Amino acid sequence: MKSLSVLILAAGKGSRMQSKLPKVLHEVGNAPLIYYPIKLAKNVGANKIVCVVGKKSDNIIDKIRSFSDYTEIVEQPKQLGTGHAVLCAEESFSKSNETILILYGDCPLISEKSIKELLKLKNNGVDLAVLGFESQNPKGYGRMIIDSAGSLKKIVEAKDATQEESKVTFCNSGIMIAERQTIYALLKNISNENSAGEFYLTDLVKKANEANLVVRAISCPENEAHGINNRLDLAKAEEHFQTSKRLEALEKGVTLVAPNTVFFSFDTDLGIDTVVEPNVIFGPEVSLKDNVKVKSFSYLEGCIVKSKVTIGPFARIRPETILDEGVKVGNFVEIKKSKLYKNAKASHLSYIGDASIGEDTNVGAGTIFCNYDGVSKHGIEVGKNSFIGSNASLVAPLKIGDRAMIAAGSTITDEVEKDSLALGRARQINKFKK
């Protein structure tokens, strides 16, 4: 059985993005573009992943390392085209039975299904298999020219297409697969005698036909194949990504009251029978179990939410937060790096940070957990079945015992023992007017 390797081309400058940030570090679904082909390579069973980057790409390398420490990095010292980029990685592929799938760092929407179909085509006696797509508006895309026998004869760049070739709607995605020896034998015969002075990977098709190799192409949906060249492309990719994630959630058993107003991240995980009201945003690292309700205008990131929890409206759940079963987080409540245990409640206008709140404890409206002293963050521990009165300020570090009660309007700075009432406010004085 042949070993599958994936080569990802990510050395493009991305000048049309009008940005100081490398193109492949722009984000779709709160993940950099380069994340998606690496994830795809893993999902289709790649034994090796190699990524070609340009010079001075330390920020790209650091980002890749943050989610894939076994991806090999190769530098393309000069921007001499996609064919040259593949040549730069030749030494990374040494196995005689190695098959190489070529992906792109700026194509985040290619599906696992499409790549598996391409692999299937390759394994059915095809020497070079290429992924294309049908476009209703093919202007600017390279055209895939198929002969009467179904072979891919050549790929013609849009600017070089004849009038007849310009009518072709089957377009090139750039993604292809072949055996290592086939790719590198053909690449060494391509030329850079063109207006850009670059070595084009698409010339492999012509060279393969000249060598009497079997060249075929299959089609994927057009939305998948769009590369990112500018901000408009990025916005369109985000739109397609969100549409896909919404459909995925609905098919899984999640209710989206107004789907087009809900926004997901690349790793959002929602349980069945969860209800999401309009205008909710899920940042990275959000996991919701079953039967959760997220009300309108809430923003969640970096949190674990267990079953039968209600959140919002207008709630903000920040990273390292865990909401246990039956917890209620109400309107205008912000929670950061805290755990609320079973059936705890914070229903109105509160900030909870660096805290642990016990089962069945109620946090009253306007309560502030004062976790920052201007230099360091400190924790607050609140026990079970306790009651925090409205407009209380809890100053960390602090421990409040089980079944304790904090009087409304109090500022609490010292430990509150279990089964006790704490008051920390000035005595009211009424004086008559003269």
Side-chain angles (χ1 to χ4, degrees):
M1 182 178 178
K2 295 188 180 296
S3 173
L4 176 65
S5 296
V6 172
L7 176 59
I8 301 170
L9 306 186
K13 294 180 180 179
S15 55
R16 283 181 282 175
M17 295 297 291
Q18 299 295 321
S19 174
K20 295 180 180 179
L21 188 70
K23 179 167 66 170
V24 296
L25 295 187
H26 286 267
E27 294 187 344
V28 166
N30 288 314
L33 299 179
I34 191 62
Y35 165 84
Y36 292 98
I38 291 176
K39 179 186 177 185
L40 178 59
K42 294 176 184 176
N43 288 348
V44 298
N47 297 305
K48 176 185 287 186
I49 304 173
V50 179
C51 186
V52 179
V53 301
K55 291 184 69 175
K56 299 180 180 179
S57 297
D58 290 348
N59 47 358
I60 298 176
I61 295 170
D62 289 344
K63 182 60 70 173
I64 291 173
R65 291 281 178 259
S66 72
F67 55 78
S68 178
D69 56 6
Y70 55 83
T71 295
E72 182 179 337
I73 307 297
V74 173
E75 183 182 288
Q76 183 184 19
K78 291 185 179 180
Q79 303 286 297
L80 298 178
T82 50
H84 178 258
V86 176
L87 280 170
C88 289
E90 182 175 8
E91 293 184 3
S92 296
F93 305 105
S94 57
K95 295 181 181 178
S96 60
N97 66 339
E98 203 165 7
T99 297
I100 300 176
L101 168 66
I102 299 173
L103 301 175
Y104 291 82
D106 61 356
C107 291
L109 301 179
I110 299 293
S111 71
E112 185 177 337
K113 178 182 177 182
S114 294
I115 294 303
K116 286 184 175 178
E117 288 294 322
L118 190 66
L119 288 167
K120 183 178 178 181
L121 177 66
K122 167 66 182 67
N123 292 332
N124 285 336
V126 172
D127 295 303
L128 178 63
V130 183
L131 187 65
F133 61 96
E134 289 287 344
S135 177
Q136 295 181 347
N137 181 22
K139 183 179 180 181
Y141 293 120
R143 306 305 205 277
M144 309 265 275
I145 309 302
I146 308 294
D147 67 11
S148 58
S151 294
L152 175 61
K153 301 307 295 181
K154 61 180 178 178
I155 299 174
V156 183
E157 296 299 325
K159 60 185 178 182
D160 299 324
T162 65
Q163 185 174 2
E164 192 64 27
E165 289 169 340
S166 296
K167 297 177 182 178
V168 173
T169 57
F170 191 35
C171 300
N172 176 39
S173 75
I175 294 170
M176 57 181 66
I177 186 170
E179 293 180 15
R180 176 198 179 279
Q181 57 266 36
T182 299
I183 290 175
Y184 286 105
L186 296 175
L187 272 178
K188 289 171 183 177
N189 292 320
I190 68 172
S191 167
N192 67 339
E193 293 180 1
N194 50 61
S195 58
E198 295 185 349
F199 296 91
Y200 294 133
L201 189 59
T202 51
D203 288 347
L204 284 187
V205 173
K206 179 181 177 182
K207 294 298 179 182
N209 278 286
E210 290 174 355
N212 295 316
L213 299 180
V214 179
V215 186
R216 295 284 191 275
I218 60 169
S219 182
C220 71
E222 182 176 3
N223 289 345
E224 287 187 20
H226 281 173
I228 309 298
N229 293 307
N230 53 46
R231 302 284 182 156
L232 179 59
D233 291 337
L234 189 67
K236 288 180 178 178
E238 183 70 41
E239 181 180 1
H240 295 315
F241 171 85
Q242 294 298 337
T243 297
S244 176
K245 292 293 285 186
R246 291 162 187 156
L247 288 173
E248 180 184 315
L250 292 166
E251 290 171 355
K252 186 178 177 180
V254 175
T255 295
L256 304 179
V257 177
N260 289 342
T261 70
V262 178
F263 291 86
F264 296 93
S265 290
F266 68 100
D267 58 353
T268 306
D269 181 26
L270 306 183
I272 63 171
D273 294 321
T274 286
V275 177
V276 183
E277 292 186 353
N279 300 297
V280 170
I281 296 175
F282 295 101
E285 300 181 25
V286 172
S287 176
L288 273 61
K289 304 303 180 184
D290 300 343
N291 294 292
V292 173
K293 186 166 188 177
V294 185
K295 296 185 178 181
S296 294
F297 297 100
S298 295
Y299 191 113
L300 287 71
E301 55 182 327
C303 59
I304 297 173
V305 179
K306 299 188 179 180
S307 61
K308 301 178 183 177
V309 170
T310 301
I311 298 172
F314 295 97
R316 185 181 179 196
I317 311 299
R318 292 171 57 190
E320 299 185 61
T321 293
I322 299 174
L323 304 180
D324 217 340
E325 183 176 340
V327 164
K328 180 180 179 182
V329 177
N331 48 293
F332 300 102
V333 174
E334 179 179 352
I335 304 177
K336 168 253 178 189
K337 199 176 180 180
S338 298
K339 181 169 183 178
L340 276 65
Y341 286 85
K342 188 175 180 179
N343 297 325
K345 294 186 291 185
S347 298
H348 325 277
L349 304 160
S350 297
Y351 170 72
I352 300 170
D354 297 273
S356 170
I357 299 176
E359 293 183 11
D360 297 302
T361 286
N362 183 83
V363 178
T367 296
I368 303 298
F369 282 59
C370 307
N371 57 321
Y372 183 51
D373 63 8
V375 177
S376 302
K377 301 288 179 69
H378 302 279
I380 296 175
E381 181 181 338
V382 181
K384 302 176 183 179
N385 296 101
S386 293
F387 182 88
I388 312 299
S390 297
N391 207 35
S393 295
L394 309 181
V395 182
L398 182 64
K399 183 176 181 179
I400 297 173
D402 296 343
R403 299 175 300 279
M405 178 174 288
I406 308 300
S410 295
T411 297
I412 304 298
T413 58
D414 296 322
E415 180 177 350
V416 179
E417 296 180 349
K418 65 180 182 180
D419 298 307
S420 61
L421 168 66
L423 299 93
R425 60 194 184 202
R427 182 176 180 181
Q428 179 175 328
I429 300 175
N430 293 337
K431 294 184 177 181
F432 291 99
K433 294 180 181 179
K434 292 181 179 181

